[in-house]
Amino acid sequence: MDGLGSGLAIAGAVVTVGKIIKQIRDFISNSKTVDESVKGFLNEVEALQSVLEAIKDSFADIGSLADERESIRKLWNSVDKTVEDCQHSLGKLHLIFRRLGKQAENGYQTIVKQLKVNSKTDDIMNIRRQIMSYNITFQTAISSITL
């Protein structure tokens, strides 16, 4: 991916993760009970937002370093690929929460919503593991670049 494409991809991922944070917060506030794992998931998504913001904020500096050093260029190419993969996962998560986001107004809708949540649990858990991996990957890359 070129420099402009990288910057746009990172900015897009930041916007998407912001939307997902709002969706998860809305989901939590609209649910009668939410277990601690949902709140933990929100914290992990917020951490991803922070690390993506850090990458976005340092994008110009990293780009100039990548022009100077082959090792930074290779690392940055890896970050680019991870951002693309991250965007794909965030898109799936955004869609899942959009489908789950409708507020239940009666008992029947509450049951249907719970069934929908249960049917998406495996998908959400897989994306959660990916988000944890993205956090580690991005934090490691930032540390490596700044050394």
Side-chain angles (χ1 to χ4, degrees):
M1 189 181 297
D2 64 1
L4 179 60
S6 296
L8 292 174
I10 294 166
V14 169
V15 169
T16 302
V17 80
K19 289 177 183 178
I20 291 168
I21 288 170
K22 182 183 180 326
Q23 288 175 310
I24 295 172
R25 285 184 179 151
D26 289 347
F27 178 81
I28 289 171
S29 69
N30 291 337
S31 299
K32 293 189 190 309
T33 59
V34 176
D35 69 20
E36 289 302 312
S37 67
V38 175
K39 293 177 184 174
F41 184 45
L42 175 60
N43 292 336
E44 291 161 7
V45 175
E46 288 173 334
L48 179 62
Q49 181 183 40
S50 294
V51 76
L52 285 170
E53 286 280 352
I55 291 172
K56 184 181 79 132
D57 292 345
S58 60
F59 175 72
D61 296 334
I62 293 170
S64 62
L65 284 174
D67 290 340
E68 296 171 15
R69 294 178 42 204
E70 179 68 22
S71 60
I72 300 293
R73 184 173 29 260
K74 288 179 181 178
L75 184 59
W76 189 245
N77 287 338
S78 174
V79 169
D80 274 347
K81 290 177 182 146
T82 305
V83 167
E84 288 178 34
D85 190 40
C86 181
Q87 279 186 295
H88 181 69
S89 296
L90 290 172
K92 284 190 215 176
L93 188 60
H94 178 63
L95 184 61
I96 289 169
F97 274 102
R98 193 171 75 205
R99 289 179 178 158
L100 297 177
K102 297 177 182 170
Q103 188 170 356
E105 296 177 8
N106 60 44
Y108 174 74
Q109 289 175 335
T110 301
I111 292 168
V112 169
K113 184 173 183 173
Q114 187 59 48
L115 290 172
K116 286 180 183 179
V117 169
N118 291 344
S119 72
K120 293 299 181 184
T121 300
D122 288 342
D123 293 337
I124 292 170
M125 289 307 297
N126 287 333
I127 294 170
R128 184 177 186 178
R129 283 190 287 277
Q130 290 172 326
I131 285 173
M132 287 188 277
S133 175
Y134 297 141
N135 276 327
I136 292 167
T137 300
F138 290 139
Q139 289 170 5
T140 303
I142 289 171
S143 297
S144 298
I145 289 170
T146 57
L147 289 178

